[in-house]
Short mmCIF file of all heavy atoms in Angstrom, two decimals:
data_model
loop_
_atom_site.label_atom_id
_atom_site.label_comp_id
_atom_site.label_asym_id
_atom_site.label_seq_id
_atom_site.Cartn_x
_atom_site.Cartn_y
_atom_site.Cartn_z
N ASN A 91 98.44 108.46 87.65
CA ASN A 91 99.18 107.28 87.93
C ASN A 91 98.28 106.07 88.22
O ASN A 91 98.72 105.02 88.06
CB ASN A 91 100.14 107.40 89.09
CG ASN A 91 101.33 108.28 88.70
OD1 ASN A 91 101.25 108.80 87.63
ND2 ASN A 91 102.33 108.30 89.49
N VAL A 92 97.12 106.26 88.64
CA VAL A 92 96.09 105.19 88.90
C VAL A 92 95.37 104.81 87.60
O VAL A 92 94.54 105.45 87.13
CB VAL A 92 95.21 105.43 90.06
CG1 VAL A 92 94.24 104.33 90.17
CG2 VAL A 92 95.83 105.91 91.25
N THR A 93 95.94 103.55 87.03
CA THR A 93 95.31 103.18 85.79
C THR A 93 94.30 102.04 86.08
O THR A 93 94.31 101.48 87.25
CB THR A 93 96.37 102.77 84.79
OG1 THR A 93 97.06 101.53 85.48
CG2 THR A 93 97.36 103.81 84.48
N ASP A 94 93.65 101.64 85.10
CA ASP A 94 92.72 100.50 85.31
C ASP A 94 93.42 99.18 85.72
O ASP A 94 93.15 98.51 86.52
CB ASP A 94 91.88 100.20 84.08
CG ASP A 94 90.74 99.22 84.44
OD1 ASP A 94 89.97 99.37 85.24
OD2 ASP A 94 90.66 98.22 83.60
N GLU A 95 94.72 99.13 85.17
CA GLU A 95 95.59 97.82 85.49
C GLU A 95 95.97 97.88 86.86
O GLU A 95 96.12 96.93 87.53
CB GLU A 95 96.82 97.96 84.54
CG GLU A 95 97.79 96.88 84.84
CD GLU A 95 97.30 95.44 84.50
OE1 GLU A 95 96.52 95.28 83.64
OE2 GLU A 95 97.75 94.57 85.10
N SER A 96 96.13 99.05 87.47
CA SER A 96 96.70 99.17 88.82
C SER A 96 95.62 98.86 89.84
O SER A 96 95.83 98.81 91.03
CB SER A 96 97.31 100.56 89.11
OG SER A 96 96.43 101.60 89.00
N ILE A 97 94.24 98.89 89.52
CA ILE A 97 93.15 98.64 90.41
C ILE A 97 92.14 97.71 89.84
O ILE A 97 91.01 97.59 90.23
CB ILE A 97 92.39 100.07 90.66
CG1 ILE A 97 91.78 100.65 89.48
CG2 ILE A 97 93.36 100.91 91.47
CD1 ILE A 97 90.82 101.74 89.77
N ASN A 98 92.68 96.79 88.89
CA ASN A 98 91.76 95.78 88.21
C ASN A 98 91.35 94.63 89.15
O ASN A 98 90.60 93.87 88.69
CB ASN A 98 92.38 95.39 86.84
CG ASN A 98 93.58 94.58 87.02
OD1 ASN A 98 94.12 94.34 88.10
ND2 ASN A 98 94.02 94.12 85.93
N THR A 99 91.93 94.52 90.40
CA THR A 99 91.44 93.57 91.23
C THR A 99 91.20 94.16 92.62
O THR A 99 91.73 95.15 92.86
CB THR A 99 92.67 92.41 91.37
OG1 THR A 99 93.63 93.04 92.13
CG2 THR A 99 92.96 91.80 90.13
N LEU A 100 90.42 93.48 93.43
CA LEU A 100 90.08 93.94 94.71
C LEU A 100 91.42 94.14 95.59
O LEU A 100 91.56 95.03 96.24
CB LEU A 100 89.15 93.02 95.39
CG LEU A 100 88.59 93.34 96.76
CD1 LEU A 100 87.76 94.65 96.54
CD2 LEU A 100 87.64 92.24 97.21
N ALA A 101 92.39 93.13 95.36
CA ALA A 101 93.58 93.13 96.23
C ALA A 101 94.41 94.39 95.92
O ALA A 101 94.92 95.14 96.71
CB ALA A 101 94.42 91.99 96.05
N LYS A 102 94.38 94.73 94.52
CA LYS A 102 95.25 95.91 94.23
C LYS A 102 94.63 97.28 94.61
O LYS A 102 95.19 98.15 95.12
CB LYS A 102 95.36 95.98 92.58
CG LYS A 102 96.27 95.02 92.01
CD LYS A 102 96.30 95.04 90.57
CE LYS A 102 97.22 94.01 89.88
NZ LYS A 102 97.39 94.17 88.44
N LEU A 103 93.34 97.22 94.53
CA LEU A 103 92.55 98.44 95.03
C LEU A 103 92.70 98.67 96.53
O LEU A 103 92.83 99.63 97.03
CB LEU A 103 91.09 98.34 94.51
CG LEU A 103 90.15 99.55 94.84
CD1 LEU A 103 90.80 100.86 94.34
CD2 LEU A 103 88.80 99.35 94.34
N GLN A 104 92.72 97.49 97.26
CA GLN A 104 92.81 97.45 98.60
C GLN A 104 94.14 97.99 99.02
O GLN A 104 94.35 98.82 100.06
CB GLN A 104 92.52 96.05 99.36
CG GLN A 104 92.59 96.12 100.80
CD GLN A 104 91.49 96.88 101.49
OE1 GLN A 104 90.27 96.59 101.27
NE2 GLN A 104 91.67 97.96 102.28
N ALA A 105 95.25 97.61 98.26
CA ALA A 105 96.61 98.05 98.60
C ALA A 105 96.65 99.55 98.46
O ALA A 105 97.27 100.16 99.28
CB ALA A 105 97.58 97.39 97.63
N LEU A 106 96.08 100.19 97.48
CA LEU A 106 96.01 101.51 97.24
C LEU A 106 95.18 102.20 98.43
O LEU A 106 95.84 103.23 98.94
CB LEU A 106 95.34 101.90 95.98
CG LEU A 106 95.36 103.37 95.50
CD1 LEU A 106 95.66 103.37 93.95
CD2 LEU A 106 94.01 103.88 95.67
N VAL A 107 94.15 101.72 98.81
CA VAL A 107 93.33 102.27 99.80
C VAL A 107 94.20 102.26 101.27
O VAL A 107 94.22 103.09 101.97
CB VAL A 107 92.03 101.56 100.10
CG1 VAL A 107 91.39 101.89 101.34
CG2 VAL A 107 91.11 101.84 98.92
N ASN A 108 94.90 101.10 101.42
CA ASN A 108 95.70 100.88 102.59
C ASN A 108 96.80 102.01 102.74
O ASN A 108 97.19 102.44 103.82
CB ASN A 108 96.42 99.59 102.68
CG ASN A 108 95.36 98.53 102.88
OD1 ASN A 108 94.28 98.65 103.29
ND2 ASN A 108 95.76 97.22 102.62
N VAL A 109 97.43 102.41 101.56
CA VAL A 109 98.41 103.52 101.62
C VAL A 109 97.70 104.70 102.11
O VAL A 109 98.37 105.45 103.02
CB VAL A 109 99.01 103.71 100.15
CG1 VAL A 109 99.95 104.96 100.19
CG2 VAL A 109 99.71 102.50 99.77
N VAL A 110 96.63 105.16 101.66
CA VAL A 110 95.85 106.43 102.13
C VAL A 110 95.53 106.24 103.54
O VAL A 110 95.75 107.24 104.29
CB VAL A 110 94.56 106.53 101.18
CG1 VAL A 110 93.81 107.75 101.84
CG2 VAL A 110 94.88 106.86 99.73
N ILE A 111 95.10 105.17 103.96
CA ILE A 111 94.88 104.82 105.35
C ILE A 111 95.96 105.10 106.26
O ILE A 111 95.87 105.87 107.34
CB ILE A 111 94.19 103.43 105.56
CG1 ILE A 111 92.74 103.25 105.02
CG2 ILE A 111 94.13 103.13 107.07
CD1 ILE A 111 92.17 101.97 104.91
N ALA A 112 97.14 104.64 105.79
CA ALA A 112 98.40 104.87 106.63
C ALA A 112 98.84 106.30 106.68
O ALA A 112 99.21 106.67 107.63
CB ALA A 112 99.60 103.95 105.99
N ILE A 113 98.63 107.04 105.64
CA ILE A 113 98.81 108.42 105.49
C ILE A 113 98.04 109.17 106.59
O ILE A 113 98.43 109.92 107.50
CB ILE A 113 98.69 109.11 104.16
CG1 ILE A 113 99.86 108.58 103.21
CG2 ILE A 113 98.70 110.60 104.19
CD1 ILE A 113 99.54 108.97 101.75
N ILE A 114 96.81 108.88 106.57
CA ILE A 114 95.84 109.56 107.39
C ILE A 114 96.04 109.11 108.96
O ILE A 114 96.12 109.98 109.81
CB ILE A 114 94.27 109.35 107.00
CG1 ILE A 114 93.97 109.65 105.60
CG2 ILE A 114 93.39 109.96 108.10
CD1 ILE A 114 94.12 111.17 105.30
N ALA A 115 96.37 107.98 109.21
CA ALA A 115 96.58 107.42 110.47
C ALA A 115 97.90 108.02 111.04
O ALA A 115 98.02 108.04 112.21
CB ALA A 115 96.69 105.92 110.54
N SER A 116 98.83 108.33 110.16
CA SER A 116 100.23 108.82 110.67
C SER A 116 100.10 110.27 111.10
O SER A 116 101.11 110.80 111.64
CB SER A 116 101.32 108.46 109.75
OG SER A 116 101.00 109.28 108.52
N THR A 117 99.04 111.06 110.88
CA THR A 117 99.07 112.46 111.34
C THR A 117 98.86 112.47 112.80
O THR A 117 98.50 111.55 113.51
CB THR A 117 97.77 113.12 110.63
OG1 THR A 117 96.59 112.50 111.05
CG2 THR A 117 97.92 113.13 109.19
N GLY A 118 98.96 113.68 113.34
CA GLY A 118 98.75 113.93 114.81
C GLY A 118 100.01 113.21 115.53
O GLY A 118 99.81 112.84 116.75
N GLY A 119 101.14 113.14 114.96
CA GLY A 119 102.41 112.70 115.57
C GLY A 119 102.40 111.25 115.74
O GLY A 119 103.35 110.63 116.37
N GLN A 120 101.57 110.56 114.97
CA GLN A 120 101.62 109.06 115.00
C GLN A 120 102.53 108.57 113.86
O GLN A 120 102.17 107.85 112.97
CB GLN A 120 100.24 108.53 114.74
CG GLN A 120 99.23 108.95 115.76
CD GLN A 120 99.56 108.48 117.12
OE1 GLN A 120 99.88 107.30 117.35
NE2 GLN A 120 99.58 109.39 118.13
N PHE A 121 103.82 108.95 114.02
CA PHE A 121 104.83 108.55 112.95
C PHE A 121 104.94 106.96 112.62
O PHE A 121 105.04 106.62 111.60
CB PHE A 121 106.19 109.03 113.36
CG PHE A 121 107.23 108.67 112.44
CD1 PHE A 121 107.41 109.39 111.25
CD2 PHE A 121 108.26 107.69 112.66
CE1 PHE A 121 108.35 109.14 110.31
CE2 PHE A 121 109.22 107.44 111.72
CZ PHE A 121 109.30 108.19 110.56
N ASN A 122 104.78 106.25 113.75
CA ASN A 122 104.82 104.83 113.52
C ASN A 122 103.66 104.24 112.82
O ASN A 122 103.81 103.19 112.09
CB ASN A 122 105.01 104.04 114.91
CG ASN A 122 106.41 104.20 115.50
OD1 ASN A 122 107.27 104.69 114.81
ND2 ASN A 122 106.49 104.20 116.78
N ALA A 123 102.58 104.97 112.70
CA ALA A 123 101.46 104.42 111.96
C ALA A 123 101.68 104.51 110.47
O ALA A 123 101.14 103.78 109.66
CB ALA A 123 100.30 105.24 112.20
N GLY A 124 102.93 105.35 109.98
CA GLY A 124 103.01 105.25 108.60
C GLY A 124 104.20 104.66 108.23
O GLY A 124 104.94 104.74 107.19
N GLU A 125 104.75 103.70 109.11
CA GLU A 125 105.99 103.05 108.85
C GLU A 125 106.05 102.14 107.65
O GLU A 125 107.08 101.95 107.12
CB GLU A 125 106.49 102.22 110.02
CG GLU A 125 105.64 101.09 110.40
CD GLU A 125 105.98 100.53 111.76
OE1 GLU A 125 106.75 101.05 112.57
OE2 GLU A 125 105.47 99.36 112.01
N ASN A 126 104.93 101.86 107.14
CA ASN A 126 104.82 101.04 106.03
C ASN A 126 104.72 101.77 104.63
O ASN A 126 104.52 101.42 103.61
CB ASN A 126 103.65 100.11 106.06
CG ASN A 126 103.84 98.92 106.99
OD1 ASN A 126 104.92 98.53 107.25
ND2 ASN A 126 102.74 98.58 107.59
N LEU A 127 104.77 103.22 104.89
CA LEU A 127 104.83 104.07 103.83
C LEU A 127 106.07 104.08 103.03
O LEU A 127 107.17 104.51 103.69
CB LEU A 127 104.30 105.45 104.20
CG LEU A 127 102.94 105.79 104.79
CD1 LEU A 127 102.77 107.10 105.08
CD2 LEU A 127 101.96 105.38 103.52
N THR A 128 106.21 103.66 101.93
CA THR A 128 107.40 103.54 101.21
C THR A 128 107.50 104.60 100.10
O THR A 128 106.40 105.09 99.67
CB THR A 128 107.74 102.14 100.60
OG1 THR A 128 106.64 101.86 99.59
CG2 THR A 128 107.62 101.03 101.69
N ALA A 129 108.60 104.77 99.46
CA ALA A 129 108.65 105.74 98.39
C ALA A 129 107.74 105.08 97.22
O ALA A 129 106.92 105.89 96.72
CB ALA A 129 110.06 105.98 97.89
N ASN A 130 107.79 103.84 96.96
CA ASN A 130 106.99 103.31 95.85
C ASN A 130 105.45 103.45 96.18
O ASN A 130 104.56 103.69 95.18
CB ASN A 130 107.44 101.84 95.63
CG ASN A 130 108.59 101.73 94.94
OD1 ASN A 130 109.05 102.59 94.14
ND2 ASN A 130 109.27 100.42 95.06
N SER A 131 105.09 103.30 97.45
CA SER A 131 103.69 103.29 97.79
C SER A 131 103.30 104.76 97.65
O SER A 131 102.03 105.07 97.07
CB SER A 131 103.37 102.79 99.17
OG SER A 131 103.96 103.61 100.21
N LEU A 132 103.98 105.84 97.91
CA LEU A 132 103.66 107.16 97.83
C LEU A 132 103.63 107.44 96.25
O LEU A 132 102.65 108.22 95.87
CB LEU A 132 104.45 108.06 98.46
CG LEU A 132 104.29 107.95 100.07
CD1 LEU A 132 105.45 108.86 100.72
CD2 LEU A 132 102.97 108.36 100.56
N LEU A 133 104.55 107.02 95.46
CA LEU A 133 104.53 107.13 94.02
C LEU A 133 103.34 106.56 93.38
O LEU A 133 102.79 107.14 92.43
CB LEU A 133 105.92 106.79 93.44
CG LEU A 133 107.05 107.42 93.87
CD1 LEU A 133 108.41 106.88 93.38
CD2 LEU A 133 107.09 108.90 93.29
N MET A 134 102.88 105.47 93.99
CA MET A 134 101.77 104.70 93.38
C MET A 134 100.47 105.52 93.49
O MET A 134 99.51 105.49 92.74
CB MET A 134 101.54 103.36 94.23
CG MET A 134 100.21 102.65 93.80
SD MET A 134 100.24 100.96 94.73
CE MET A 134 99.77 101.60 96.42
N LEU A 135 100.37 106.45 94.57
CA LEU A 135 99.23 107.49 94.58
C LEU A 135 99.29 108.59 93.54
O LEU A 135 98.37 109.38 93.45
CB LEU A 135 99.22 107.97 95.96
CG LEU A 135 99.09 107.01 97.10
CD1 LEU A 135 98.92 107.78 98.54
CD2 LEU A 135 98.06 106.00 96.95
N GLY A 136 100.34 108.71 92.83
CA GLY A 136 100.38 109.69 91.85
C GLY A 136 101.23 110.95 92.41
O GLY A 136 101.30 112.05 91.72
N LEU A 137 101.86 110.82 93.63
CA LEU A 137 102.74 111.78 94.05
C LEU A 137 104.06 111.75 93.40
O LEU A 137 104.48 110.76 93.00
CB LEU A 137 102.91 111.62 95.64
CG LEU A 137 101.54 111.71 96.47
CD1 LEU A 137 101.71 111.13 97.87
CD2 LEU A 137 100.89 113.08 96.40
N THR A 138 104.65 112.90 93.31
CA THR A 138 105.94 112.98 92.63
C THR A 138 107.12 113.50 93.60
O THR A 138 106.75 113.99 94.75
CB THR A 138 105.95 113.97 91.47
OG1 THR A 138 105.60 115.25 91.93
CG2 THR A 138 105.06 113.44 90.35
N SER A 139 108.30 113.43 93.22
CA SER A 139 109.39 113.89 94.06
C SER A 139 109.55 113.31 95.33
O SER A 139 110.15 113.82 96.36
CB SER A 139 109.40 115.37 94.16
OG SER A 139 109.19 116.16 93.02
N VAL A 140 109.32 111.83 95.46
CA VAL A 140 109.53 111.11 96.55
C VAL A 140 110.61 110.08 96.18
O VAL A 140 110.43 109.44 95.17
CB VAL A 140 108.23 110.34 96.96
CG1 VAL A 140 108.38 109.51 98.27
CG2 VAL A 140 107.13 111.32 97.18
N ASN A 141 111.54 109.92 97.15
CA ASN A 141 112.58 108.93 96.95
C ASN A 141 113.11 108.55 98.26
O ASN A 141 112.73 109.00 99.32
CB ASN A 141 113.71 109.59 96.04
CG ASN A 141 114.43 110.79 96.59
OD1 ASN A 141 114.80 110.89 97.76
ND2 ASN A 141 114.45 111.91 95.79
N GLU A 142 113.96 107.44 98.29
CA GLU A 142 114.54 106.95 99.60
C GLU A 142 115.20 107.97 100.32
O GLU A 142 115.23 107.88 101.59
CB GLU A 142 115.43 105.78 99.31
CG GLU A 142 114.62 104.48 98.70
CD GLU A 142 113.47 104.06 99.56
OE1 GLU A 142 113.55 104.22 100.83
OE2 GLU A 142 112.41 103.66 99.08
N THR A 143 115.78 108.95 99.70
CA THR A 143 116.60 110.05 100.43
C THR A 143 115.71 110.94 101.27
O THR A 143 115.94 111.35 102.44
CB THR A 143 117.32 110.88 99.49
OG1 THR A 143 118.24 109.98 98.69
CG2 THR A 143 118.27 111.86 100.16
N ASN A 144 114.52 111.33 100.72
CA ASN A 144 113.64 112.26 101.38
C ASN A 144 112.42 111.53 102.07
O ASN A 144 111.62 112.29 102.66
CB ASN A 144 113.11 113.40 100.41
CG ASN A 144 112.33 112.87 99.34
OD1 ASN A 144 111.83 111.79 99.33
ND2 ASN A 144 112.26 113.82 98.36
N LEU A 145 112.43 110.27 102.02
CA LEU A 145 111.10 109.59 102.50
C LEU A 145 110.98 109.74 104.00
O LEU A 145 109.95 110.05 104.44
CB LEU A 145 111.30 108.10 102.23
CG LEU A 145 110.04 107.27 102.65
CD1 LEU A 145 108.81 107.67 102.11
CD2 LEU A 145 110.23 105.79 102.42
N SER A 146 111.92 109.64 104.84
CA SER A 146 111.88 109.83 106.28
C SER A 146 111.40 111.18 106.56
O SER A 146 110.42 111.39 107.45
CB SER A 146 113.19 109.50 106.92
OG SER A 146 113.07 109.77 108.32
N GLY A 147 111.95 112.24 105.99
CA GLY A 147 111.48 113.64 106.22
C GLY A 147 110.02 113.80 105.85
O GLY A 147 109.26 114.54 106.41
N ILE A 148 109.69 113.23 104.75
CA ILE A 148 108.17 113.35 104.15
C ILE A 148 107.23 112.77 105.17
O ILE A 148 106.26 113.32 105.52
CB ILE A 148 108.02 112.80 102.79
CG1 ILE A 148 108.76 113.70 101.84
CG2 ILE A 148 106.52 112.76 102.34
CD1 ILE A 148 108.94 113.18 100.40
N ARG A 149 107.72 111.55 105.73
CA ARG A 149 106.79 110.73 106.63
C ARG A 149 106.79 111.60 107.95
O ARG A 149 105.67 111.83 108.47
CB ARG A 149 107.38 109.56 106.88
CG ARG A 149 107.16 108.44 105.80
CD ARG A 149 107.77 107.08 106.04
NE ARG A 149 107.32 106.59 107.22
CZ ARG A 149 108.16 105.75 107.98
NH1 ARG A 149 109.21 105.43 107.57
NH2 ARG A 149 107.71 105.39 109.22
N LEU A 150 107.92 112.31 108.40
CA LEU A 150 107.76 113.28 109.55
C LEU A 150 106.90 114.32 109.29
O LEU A 150 106.14 114.85 110.25
CB LEU A 150 109.17 113.55 109.93
CG LEU A 150 110.05 112.65 110.65
CD1 LEU A 150 111.46 113.06 110.86
CD2 LEU A 150 109.56 112.38 112.01
N SER A 151 106.95 114.87 108.14
CA SER A 151 106.11 116.16 107.72
C SER A 151 104.60 115.75 107.76
O SER A 151 103.82 116.50 108.36
CB SER A 151 106.43 116.61 106.35
OG SER A 151 107.71 117.13 106.30
N ILE A 152 104.36 114.48 107.41
CA ILE A 152 102.90 114.02 107.46
C ILE A 152 102.52 113.87 108.90
O ILE A 152 101.50 114.25 109.31
CB ILE A 152 102.74 112.69 106.65
CG1 ILE A 152 102.93 112.96 105.16
CG2 ILE A 152 101.30 112.04 106.96
CD1 ILE A 152 103.05 111.67 104.29
N SER A 153 103.38 113.33 109.69
CA SER A 153 103.13 113.06 111.08
C SER A 153 102.92 114.40 111.84
O SER A 153 102.22 114.43 112.85
CB SER A 153 104.27 112.28 111.75
OG SER A 153 104.20 112.08 113.13
N ALA A 154 103.61 115.45 111.43
CA ALA A 154 103.54 116.78 112.08
C ALA A 154 102.24 117.40 111.92
O ALA A 154 101.97 118.34 112.64
CB ALA A 154 104.82 117.56 111.60
N GLN A 155 101.38 116.94 110.95
CA GLN A 155 100.14 117.50 110.71
C GLN A 155 99.26 117.19 111.83
O GLN A 155 99.19 116.00 112.28
CB GLN A 155 99.49 117.09 109.43
CG GLN A 155 100.35 117.39 108.26
CD GLN A 155 100.76 118.72 108.06
OE1 GLN A 155 99.89 119.70 108.12
NE2 GLN A 155 101.99 119.10 107.94
N PRO A 156 98.57 118.14 112.45
CA PRO A 156 97.69 117.87 113.71
C PRO A 156 96.58 116.76 113.39
O PRO A 156 96.20 116.16 114.22
CB PRO A 156 97.09 119.23 114.04
CG PRO A 156 97.26 120.06 112.82
CD PRO A 156 98.34 119.59 112.01
N ASP A 157 96.08 116.76 112.19
CA ASP A 157 95.05 115.83 111.72
C ASP A 157 94.99 115.70 110.14
O ASP A 157 95.95 116.24 109.62
CB ASP A 157 93.71 116.26 112.36
CG ASP A 157 93.09 117.49 111.85
OD1 ASP A 157 93.64 117.97 110.74
OD2 ASP A 157 92.52 118.28 112.61
N GLU A 158 94.12 115.01 109.84
CA GLU A 158 94.15 114.70 108.24
C GLU A 158 93.71 115.80 107.37
O GLU A 158 93.85 115.85 106.25
CB GLU A 158 93.15 113.54 108.02
CG GLU A 158 91.69 113.92 108.05
CD GLU A 158 91.13 114.07 109.35
OE1 GLU A 158 91.75 113.60 110.47
OE2 GLU A 158 89.95 114.60 109.59
N ALA A 159 93.26 116.93 107.98
CA ALA A 159 92.73 118.17 107.18
C ALA A 159 93.75 118.62 106.14
O ALA A 159 93.27 119.17 105.10
CB ALA A 159 92.31 119.23 108.15
N ASN A 160 95.12 118.49 106.43
CA ASN A 160 96.04 119.06 105.50
C ASN A 160 96.65 117.98 104.58
O ASN A 160 97.44 118.35 103.67
CB ASN A 160 97.18 119.74 106.37
CG ASN A 160 96.71 121.04 106.96
OD1 ASN A 160 95.77 121.65 106.50
ND2 ASN A 160 97.38 121.32 108.09
N VAL A 161 96.22 116.79 104.68
CA VAL A 161 96.77 115.77 103.87
C VAL A 161 95.77 114.84 103.37
O VAL A 161 95.95 113.62 102.95
CB VAL A 161 97.78 114.92 104.65
CG1 VAL A 161 99.11 115.70 105.01
CG2 VAL A 161 97.29 114.27 105.91
N ASN A 162 94.51 115.10 103.20
CA ASN A 162 93.42 114.31 102.92
C ASN A 162 93.00 114.47 101.45
O ASN A 162 92.01 114.13 100.93
CB ASN A 162 92.24 114.42 103.63
CG ASN A 162 91.40 115.74 103.62
OD1 ASN A 162 91.95 116.69 103.03
ND2 ASN A 162 90.33 115.79 104.24
N THR A 163 93.92 115.07 100.55
CA THR A 163 93.73 115.20 99.17
C THR A 163 95.05 115.05 98.43
O THR A 163 96.15 115.31 99.15
CB THR A 163 93.11 116.53 98.59
OG1 THR A 163 94.07 117.53 98.80
CG2 THR A 163 91.88 116.82 99.30
#
Side-chain angles (χ1 to χ4, degrees):
N91 282 13
V92 177
T93 63
D94 193 50
E95 176 66 26
S96 65
I97 60 168
N98 65 358
T99 67
L100 187 60
K102 288 179 180 181
L103 186 55
Q104 184 68 59
L106 186 134
V107 168
N108 289 345
V109 174
V110 175
I111 291 169
I113 289 169
I114 303 298
S116 65
T117 61
Q120 301 298 312
F121 180 74
N122 291 337
E125 65 188 16
N126 292 328
L127 294 176
T128 64
N130 284 338
S131 66
L132 292 174
L133 292 170
M134 178 176 72
L135 301 184
L137 300 168
T138 60
S139 305
V140 180
N141 55 52
E142 293 302 323
T143 305
N144 63 12
L145 179 62
S146 180
I148 290 168
R149 287 178 52 212
L150 281 170
S151 294
I152 293 170
S153 176
Q155 303 306 308
D157 56 34
E158 76 284 347
N160 292 331
V161 293
N162 66 353
T163 68

